[in-house]
């Protein structure tokens, strides 16, 4: 509020018969209310940043677990131990949980995650094909999907690291502010 508007408000309040003390109390009250609103907005913003950081950490931990499922498939594909069947349902169940978190909170990860999920799905399908029909041609296809998965994984990991700084900054800033 600039000084001209403030003067107009004060003149109007005097015209309706309010005393200068009451006018001052109203102005102080308005400024106090504005201060409270600004403080609440700032607090909500910090809480939301902390919430996003926690969700980002959750996505990262889930991705590590998810990558472990795929790593297990990779190691199994080139070993002679074919006793255990692949748990494709677990792959898609865990992948779906991550996909929901990303869609809700981190749209900047969506495209790279979709590529990552597809590469993992292709690898699993190739592994299943190799288990049911072990041959040189299915092994070659499995190796190709394995290489493709590794390439996509590295690209996705690099993208996650570049995005993580957005969520780590809020934590670092709060630590600096609390230290001062």
């Amino acid at each position: 509020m600039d000084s001209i508007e403030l003067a107009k408000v004060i003149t109007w309040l005097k015209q309706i018969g309010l005393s200068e003390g009451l006018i001052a109390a109203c102005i102080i009250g308005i400024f106090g209310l504005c201060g409270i609103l600004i403080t609440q907005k700032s607090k909500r913003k910090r809480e939301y940043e902390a919430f996003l950081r926690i969700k980002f950490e959750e996505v990262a931990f889930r991705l590590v677990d998810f990558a472990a499922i795929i790593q297990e498939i990779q190691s199994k594909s080139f070993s002679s131990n074919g006793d255990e069947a692949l748990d494709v349902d677990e792959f898609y169940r865990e992948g779906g949980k991550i996909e929901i978190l990303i869609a809700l909170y981190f749209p900047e990860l969506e495209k790279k995650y979709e590529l990552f999920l597809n590469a993992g799905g292709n690898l699993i399908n190739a592994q299943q094909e190799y288990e049911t029909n072990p041959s040189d041609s299915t092994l070659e296809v499995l190796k190709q999907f394995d290489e493709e998965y590794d390439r996509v994984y590295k690209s996705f990991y690099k993208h996650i690291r570049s995005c993580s700084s957005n969520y780590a900054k809020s934590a670092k800033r709060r630590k600096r502010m609390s230290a001062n």
Side-chain angles (χ1 to χ4, degrees):
M1 201 182 266
D2 63 6
S3 61
I4 296 172
E5 289 177 8
L6 185 59
K8 286 181 184 179
V9 170
I10 291 171
T11 304
W12 177 76
L13 290 172
K14 284 183 180 179
Q15 287 174 353
I16 62 170
L18 293 178
S19 70
E20 289 181 9
L22 191 54
I23 293 171
C26 288
I27 292 171
I28 291 170
I30 289 170
F31 285 131
L33 183 59
C34 289
I36 290 170
L37 292 174
I38 290 169
T39 302
Q40 288 296 318
K41 184 176 180 177
S42 175
K43 182 179 176 184
R44 282 191 199 114
K45 183 180 178 188
R46 284 192 312 272
E47 288 172 352
Y48 185 68
E49 287 173 348
F51 172 77
L52 281 180
R53 188 183 80 252
I54 290 167
K55 287 298 180 185
F56 195 82
E57 290 170 357
E58 182 180 347
V59 165
F61 288 131
R62 285 183 180 273
L63 282 168
V64 167
D65 291 343
F66 190 65
I69 293 169
I70 297 172
Q71 187 65 38
E72 182 181 314
I73 291 165
Q74 283 179 305
S75 63
K76 184 178 180 183
S77 46
F78 301 108
S79 71
S80 59
N81 184 7
D83 296 338
E84 289 184 41
L86 292 172
D87 190 354
V88 178
D89 291 336
E90 179 186 14
F91 173 81
Y92 286 109
R93 187 173 43 252
E94 291 305 312
K97 290 175 186 177
I98 296 167
E99 190 170 14
I100 289 169
L101 284 170
I102 287 173
L104 289 174
Y105 304 111
F106 310 106
E108 68 273 17
L109 297 177
E110 245 176 316
K111 288 181 182 177
K112 293 277 188 176
Y113 178 71
E114 187 176 318
L115 292 173
F116 173 70
L117 187 62
N118 288 338
N122 290 340
L123 181 61
I124 284 184
N125 291 335
Q127 174 63 27
Q128 284 183 319
E129 179 64 27
Y130 179 71
E131 286 179 0
T132 58
N133 183 18
S135 67
D136 288 340
S137 64
T138 57
L139 180 60
E140 187 59 36
V141 169
L142 178 60
K143 286 180 181 180
Q144 288 173 354
F145 281 122
D146 185 53
E147 290 170 6
E148 173 69 12
Y149 169 78
D150 285 340
R151 186 185 61 73
V152 170
Y153 174 78
K154 288 174 185 173
S155 173
F156 184 49
Y157 181 75
K158 185 177 179 180
H159 185 63
I160 289 171
R161 287 192 49 116
S162 72
C163 292
S164 69
S165 63
N166 296 335
Y167 304 102
K169 283 180 186 176
S170 61
K172 289 178 185 175
R173 183 174 52 226
R174 274 194 300 286
K175 284 181 184 176
R176 271 187 273 133
M177 288 173 62
S178 65
N180 292 332

